Amino acid sequence: MTITSARETGNAPSGTPTLRDGAFGPARELVCRECGTTRELGPHYACHECFGPLEIGYEFGTVTREQIEAGPANIWRYKALLPVPDDIETSPNTEPGFTRLLKAEHLAAELGLSSLWVKDDSTNPTNSFKDRVVACALSAARELGSTVFACPSTGNLANAVAAAGARAGIETVVFIPSNLETPKQVNSAVFTEKLIAVDGNYDDVNKLASEIAGEEDGWAFVNVNVRPYYAEGSKTLGYEIAEQLGWRLPEQIVIPVASGSQLTKVHKAFQELIALGLVEDTPYKVFGAQAHGCNPVATAYKDGVDAIRPVKPDTIAKSLAIGNPADGIYVLDITRATGGAVEEVSDEEIREAIVLLARAEGIFTETAGGTTVGVLKKLVETGQLDPAAETVVINTGHGLKTLDAVSSAVGPYATIAPTYAAFTAARIA
Amino acid sequence: MTITSARETGNAPSGTPTLRDGAFGPARELVCRECGTTRELGPHYACHECFGPLEIGYEFGTVTREQIEAGPANIWRYKALLPVPDDIETSPNTEPGFTRLLKAEHLAAELGLSSLWVKDDSTNPTNSFKDRVVACALSAARELGSTVFACPSTGNLANAVAAAGARAGIETVVFIPSNLETPKQVNSAVFTEKLIAVDGNYDDVNKLASEIAGEEDGWAFVNVNVRPYYAEGSKTLGYEIAEQLGWRLPEQIVIPVASGSQLTKVHKAFQELIALGLVEDTPYKVFGAQAHGCNPVATAYKDGVDAIRPVKPDTIAKSLAIGNPADGIYVLDITRATGGAVEEVSDEEIREAIVLLARAEGIFTETAGGTTVGVLKKLVETGQLDPAAETVVINTGHGLKTLDAVSSAVGPYATIAPTYAAFTAARIA
């Protein structure tokens, strides 16, 4: 199998002409989500017939629960279901995943639910679910012989790429808007010397990244030219939830929607587990969560239309602020087909939900998680979610990264002198 | 078995007179580390004969590797070796531990070591090893019938206590110095309403906590009156390292020293594993790491004396800044007996080590981890550590919590216009 050259494809990250056997594990081809046209595995992300998005097509062998359970406590336990080689564990990587699935009894009681779980991805290596997708992108970059690992980002993705690239020992370049706050710059600059500040907004940075990906040999932009491999990493969230529930599917699941990729991949994971006989084929409803300040998919859902009208984001949930989400239409398909919904909450509701989750379950989430928990609350209140059905809500990132969102909302209960008399006078507990 | 009342002991956190059977699992008694006097299990922390520190004495049953491996991917897989009940997993807790042990090939190459591993506790629920000890303290508080879960702290411990208390649904009170920076307050205040600011320094806060613990019924201060149970949580670091190495001990291990408790407990864990036949009795050397600005144990080690002379801390490694470390003398015993050492590094070396670890392995550590990696480097350079022997270094916490330490040391490589021409002109990679 050969990779066509950069000149032919216009988007090759690789100067290496050949792939080794098993470079992408059970992956067999790239398939256009729109027209179904297939293409050989390589650094391609758009269909050459209709320009639709390409995704990975597989031929799975036999995969058993026992085989998975015998694997490591990270996403590679599912390597037989991912576009990665069988020896993936031998290459340095951040070993993300197999994060906690916590039974959330207090939050359930607060919201009036009978059974609720939080899938907590804030404890991943760089504290967001992005470590999962980046680990798969890194494997693809390595197999394609890429010499530079890169991304445009303002936050979680930058952290994940910079850390994974450092650990892998591959040259790593992260592009950020030059007006990004210093703490967010530090979170990535600590891992890579090559943090590039671009004088422009995030759209400008993204556009530059696509241009570089199209022009330069050997550059693997995780969310551009190796995106089909990258996106598959989100499937592991679905696999883990099913395994951690004791190899079964939840009845309802609430997932944040930025590009919409994560939601579609969790659904794909559930469908694969059913097809492979690893879980029973029980019905489940998928719900999407957006912020009011970036609600293109929620709006289309409510309007009952199929087309997503792009918006200009204005929300504290910056990691969800994608105004023109690439997978938005698939989110509409899945939520409607499964009987779910797409709902939205205000910035104030996001802040309240962050504190609600922290005080009920001891989990400090970022604004994206606040959005998801806030939407869960609203779905219950509006009767869109069945309070008697078992529900999972996904927390995608850590509150330490968006401290400002709640710093005015919480603070000391009392300030006292350092004496026992002052303590008793304050009647604290 | 009965607990003596608060009036009798002066330090009871409990109003409950009786313990249920198996409340503390394999723990059988409290043993004075100084004079060996034993005492029944309860909310006691000081020997009533000599005022020496009490620690847990066990009677272990048969414990097998298979039994442990069949357990959950958190510290409760070792519950048969901890002072917790057999049904510990059924009570809401943060489910910490079983963090990554990463083969650090790049850092090894940088330092000239042949085999190096990083035990990375920055991915614990609240991003430090404190989640381990607090989980054990929480269990003790619950079994003792405590009504309030509390601590004095300026950082990691406050986060861990506030989160664990929230998750457990127990009233939680965290005491901090009132001049603590707002971001650090938020990290705890998000979890608990009862964040109490005390007008005084950390010593004042600590003193007040001890006074409250002595006077009030039902208060469990994790690092005061339930400290013997709390401290045992650090053993899980040792168990995990041995299991993750394939049930064997490393030849050398480098551990940060604040109170010194963690180092003594990792050693205790290794000794228990040997005694239980879970690992072979192979020799290992234990090394302690301190910051130059708080180096009482390193100084005693170098001076060849047994007494620790307290210091007034002045270092960026605030989570290691204990000027009069309670377990310092045991650290001296263990490092000397095993052939290790206690070494120290400057604040500048700490900063450099944080960036070194991040760029070599994609792990962003706080100043305590910078201290430990910096000391590892110095131990190699000074010939105190054998570069050919397999070595483990412990990273106890996350860099997001001490961002300021490196924010002036790292930053953008270049700032460019958002054009491909500007990109090529900058010759980035």
Side-chain angles (χ1 to χ4, degrees), chain A residues 94 100 103 106 127 167 187 189-190 193-195 197 199 216 358-359 361 398 413-416 418 420 428, chain B residues 94 100 103 106 127 167 189-190 193-195 197 199 216 358-359 361 398 403 413-416 418 420 428:
Chain A
T94 64
R100 304 179 300 170
K103 182 92 173 132
H106 299 128
N127 308 98
R167 175 120 176 93
N187 291 353
V190 73
E193 196 195 355
K194 299 287 178 70
L195 182 74
D199 284 331
E216 297 284 319
R359 299 214 168 154
E361 301 298 343
H398 204 298
Y413 174 83
T415 300
I416 64 172
Y420 184 64
I428 290 157
Chain B
T94 63
R100 305 180 297 172
K103 183 91 172 131
H106 299 129
N127 310 97
R167 175 123 176 94
V190 73
E193 196 194 354
K194 300 287 177 68
L195 182 75
D199 285 331
E216 297 284 320
R359 299 213 168 153
E361 300 299 342
H398 203 299
L403 265 185
Y413 175 83
T415 301
I416 63 172
Y420 184 64
I428 290 157

Side-chain angles (χ1 to χ4, degrees), chain B residues 362-391:
Chain B
I363 299 168
F364 187 14
T365 182
E366 62 170 358
T367 45
T371 304
T372 316
V373 171
V375 162
L376 167 67
K377 182 166 184 277
K378 183 171 278 187
L379 288 168
V380 180
E381 287 167 355
T382 54
Q384 297 176 83
L385 189 131
D386 178 1
E390 183 171 62
T391 305

Side-chain angles (χ1 to χ4, degrees), chain A residues 13 20 54 68 74 80 96 118 121 144 170-171 193 202 209 223 237 279 349 362:
Chain A
R20 65 176 176 137
L54 296 175
I68 290 168
N74 58 51
V118 179
D121 251 19
L144 292 165
I170 183 173
E171 171 119 60
E193 196 195 355
Y202 180 61
N223 52 349
L237 271 167
V279 299
E349 289 170 308

Side-chain angles (χ1 to χ4, degrees), chain A residues 206-218:
Chain A
N206 230 340
K207 199 165 147 282
L208 176 61
S210 294
E211 209 173 340
I212 299 168
E215 294 291 335
E216 297 284 319
D217 277 1

Side-chain angles (χ1 to χ4, degrees), chain A residues 106 359 362, chain B residues 94 134 138 149 160-172 191:
Chain A
H106 299 128
R359 299 214 168 154
Chain B
T94 63
V134 166
L138 175 64
F149 194 56
V161 165
R167 175 123 176 94
I170 184 172
E171 171 117 62
T172 302
F191 296 118

